[in-house]
Amino acid sequence: PGNPNNAGVKVLGPIIADAEHQPAVPTEDEDLQITARIAPTFDPVAAAQLHYRVMFDPEVTVPFLDDGNSGDGAAGDGVYGTHVPAGVFAAGQMVRWYITAADAVGRVSRFPAFIDPENSPEYCGTIVEDPSLTHPLPVLHWFVRNPNAANTSSGTRCALFYDGEFYDNVTMDLHGQSS
């Protein structure tokens, strides 16, 4: 309140909305199907891609299609889809992704937007079911590249999965958060 709104974007690419994945928590033998509705803003959608990574491995980029053959529903309905194949992930791992879409004149959009690297998620995500976790207590899944950095005052970034929700790009530091 009392401050100007942000500047927004001057060049608006396609609108990416209603991103979903199935199953919510795959087993290591199930493909992870990802869909999203992509709509043109000023010009037709020319291409869309899914960028995914397992744990902290390099990103893999695959076409995100509205062809009726990619788990996306009917061809040309504005719902795009693809899958992350079973076999590239294992039980207990996290799978993260983001979607990009470009229009006919090259304007590109991204979901999630990742506008502020300090205060926004970089990826959507989930975990792969771990059948060895059989106790009745809730489990907090914590994924951090360098666990020792979480025990410093400067901290590090991590991802969390708890109660069916994936939280990406969370700051974790020694102030009681990593204990």
Side-chain angles (χ1 to χ4, degrees):
N3 292 323
N5 291 329
N6 69 21
V9 292
K10 292 182 181 182
V11 181
L12 187 61
I15 303 295
I16 305 169
D18 302 328
E20 297 180 356
H21 68 277
Q22 292 296 326
V25 176
T27 66
E28 61 186 344
D29 298 325
E30 293 179 294
D31 290 347
L32 177 61
Q33 180 68 42
I34 300 170
T35 59
R37 182 167 300 282
I38 302 177
T41 52
F42 300 106
D43 292 288
V45 176
Q49 296 179 314
L50 178 80
H51 311 262
Y52 74 86
R53 69 191 303 188
V54 176
M55 298 299 287
F56 298 101
D57 293 344
E59 284 183 3
V60 175
T61 301
V62 296
F64 204 54
L65 303 171
D66 182 12
D67 62 359
N69 297 312
S70 301
D72 58 303
D77 65 355
V79 176
Y80 289 67
T82 193
H83 68 276
V84 178
V88 302
F89 47 74
Q93 292 185 319
M94 75 172 160
V95 182
R96 301 181 290 170
W97 64 88
Y98 65 92
I99 300 163
T100 56
D103 67 17
V105 297
R107 291 182 287 248
V108 178
S109 296
R110 184 186 195 284
F111 182 86
F114 195 48
I115 294 169
D116 181 355
E118 298 296 318
N119 290 307
S120 61
E122 184 174 3
Y123 296 95
C124 300
T126 190
I127 59 164
V128 181
E129 182 181 324
D130 184 348
S132 70
L133 298 175
T134 59
H135 51 79
L137 297 174
V139 176
L140 171 73
H141 301 266
W142 180 37
F143 301 95
V144 59
R145 184 186 305 258
N146 180 355
N148 290 331
N151 291 321
T152 66
S153 59
S154 58
T156 190
R157 294 294 189 181
C158 69
L160 304 169
F161 186 86
Y162 182 73
D163 196 24
E165 292 290 327
F166 185 82
Y167 303 93
D168 186 57
N169 199 28
V170 176
T171 300
M172 189 69 60
D173 61 35
L174 64 80
H175 299 291
Q177 300 167 348
S178 62
S179 57

